[in-house]
Amino acid sequence: MSTSTSRARSRAGFDTLTTPDGTVLAVVDAGPRDSAATIVLQHGWTQDHTSWEDVAERLAGTYRVVSFDSRGHGRSDAGPRGTATVEQLADDLAEVIDQLAPEGPLVLAGHSLGGPVLLALAERRPDIVFERATGIAMVATSAANIGRDILGLPLAVTSVASAAVPAVSRLRQFSRAPRNTRYPRVIEEFVRLGLYGPGQGTRANRSRTARQVARSHPETTAALVPALMHHDRLAMMPLLDKVPTVILGGTKDALTPIAHSRAMAEALPQAKYVVYPQAGHMLPYERANEVTGELTALAERVTILSRTGV
């Protein structure tokens, strides 16, 4: 059962929405309410809705755009202990849609962690994905095996590191700190090296990305690490054959390397598969115009179909 949406801008200028378990999410609802489709943007791990801000600003001139901070990210609550799962994030996404855009066509876009969340949404709320979504964008993301080839390291190295990750993340989950760090500047260089393609980690880009990582909740982000490592929904990709889907990947993505995008495209050959040479993980920043164009093309299908009476 949904609670009512709060329109009091009580979170640093953002609207808020309360989920059934009492978690308050910060949301941004922009653009014309009568647009042909509502575009819903799901952000990545340790990030927040501002990772989509360049794309959202471009889209909102024509379309209604809904973005939000997932629990434990940005300005949203962390939620009860134990709720930092891909499945819960999918339920939160469904709650955002149910409360803010309960009717009409949707375009769903997931960046990084957002891809697994969209696939979990398809499992848990097929009515949203298969009855209302007129387009899906999987942006610099993966359907399985996250972490096996991170940073371009060989499997012999990543397999050893992966074995230690669950223990480290469990320790981190005991943190009672409200945010990962109070000093985002100290992680800017790590952000540049790990998330951006050559020349794309500009001071502005790495600064705003570092601020997102810094303000995310340590317990939440730690709990999501093993959840993402065990995430495997590649077999679900063929189920999207009735929904126009675009898969976007960068050749210099060190977090979800291009092989992950390729695997999704092979599992769903009907999808449009776009590769951006020299681009890293942060495609909504690095290739904002191109990503906007792909989402616009998905949203424009609604207008085309309505004109043709299909």
Side-chain angles (χ1 to χ4, degrees):
M1 181 174 63
S2 300
T3 57
S4 60
T5 302
S6 170
R7 289 295 179 177
R9 292 182 173 268
S10 57
R11 292 291 173 98
F14 300 99
D15 289 349
T16 60
L17 174 154
T18 304
T19 68
D21 68 2
T23 303
V24 178
L25 306 180
V27 299
V28 177
D29 189 351
R33 301 299 188 271
D34 60 351
S35 64
T38 298
I39 301 175
V40 183
L41 306 173
Q42 172 69 55
H43 66 75
W45 177 71
T46 72
Q47 296 165 23
D48 58 40
H49 81 278
T50 58
S51 64
W52 280 107
E53 61 188 351
D54 292 356
V55 173
E57 181 179 2
R58 289 164 168 79
L59 291 170
T62 305
Y63 295 99
R64 185 184 183 191
V65 181
V66 174
S67 57
F68 68 105
D69 296 346
S70 292
R71 63 177 61 210
H73 295 74
R75 279 84 174 178
S76 292
D77 289 349
R81 184 181 287 271
T83 62
T85 66
V86 172
E87 293 73 21
Q88 181 60 61
L89 296 188
D91 290 346
D92 290 347
L93 173 58
E95 191 71 18
V96 169
I97 292 170
D98 286 343
Q99 291 199 34
L100 295 183
E103 299 178 344
L106 301 168
V107 171
L108 306 174
H111 171 236
S112 189
L113 164 65
V117 171
L118 290 187
L119 292 175
L121 180 71
E123 278 184 341
R124 302 168 77 81
R125 289 293 302 274
D127 58 308
I128 291 177
V129 174
F130 299 113
E131 296 177 20
R132 295 185 57 199
T134 60
I136 292 175
M138 303 286 278
V139 183
T141 188
S142 176
N145 295 321
I146 294 174
R148 285 174 57 89
D149 49 1
I150 192 169
L151 301 176
L153 297 172
L155 181 60
V157 175
T158 59
S159 60
V160 173
S162 296
V165 164
V168 175
S169 65
R170 279 195 296 271
L171 288 175
R172 186 65 172 160
Q173 287 175 52
F174 287 110
S175 171
R176 306 311 298 168
R179 54 190 296 156
N180 276 319
T181 178
R182 294 173 55 194
Y183 307 102
R185 291 194 64 177
V186 303
I187 61 174
E188 284 188 17
E189 186 63 14
F190 295 102
V191 164
R192 183 185 69 81
L193 293 172
L195 299 182
Y196 284 96
Q200 301 302 309
T202 63
R203 178 60 188 274
N205 278 346
R206 66 179 185 266
S207 176
R208 55 183 173 168
T209 305
R211 289 196 300 271
Q212 293 170 51
V213 176
R215 63 179 169 248
S216 59
H217 190 257
E219 180 185 343
T220 299
T221 54
L224 285 170
V225 171
L228 286 171
M229 290 176 61
H230 293 107
H231 159 75
D232 186 350
R233 290 184 169 88
L234 188 60
M236 286 194 61
M237 291 301 298
L239 300 179
L240 301 180
D241 62 347
K242 297 296 190 294
V243 184
T245 300
V246 59
I247 299 167
L248 310 180
T251 62
K252 297 298 183 180
D253 187 340
L255 197 59
T256 51
I258 194 67
H260 293 256
S261 296
R262 188 183 309 119
M264 289 188 293
E266 290 172 353
L268 185 64
Q270 303 94 324
K272 181 179 180 181
Y273 177 37
V274 182
V275 176
Y276 298 108
Q278 302 300 304
H281 189 65
M282 297 300 294
L283 290 182
Y285 283 166
E286 297 178 63
R287 297 291 187 271
N289 287 333
E290 293 91 332
V291 173
T292 300
E294 296 297 339
L295 295 182
T296 298
L298 291 174
E300 284 178 343
R301 292 189 69 261
V302 179
T303 302
I304 294 171
L305 292 175
S306 64
R307 287 174 179 171
T308 58
V310 177

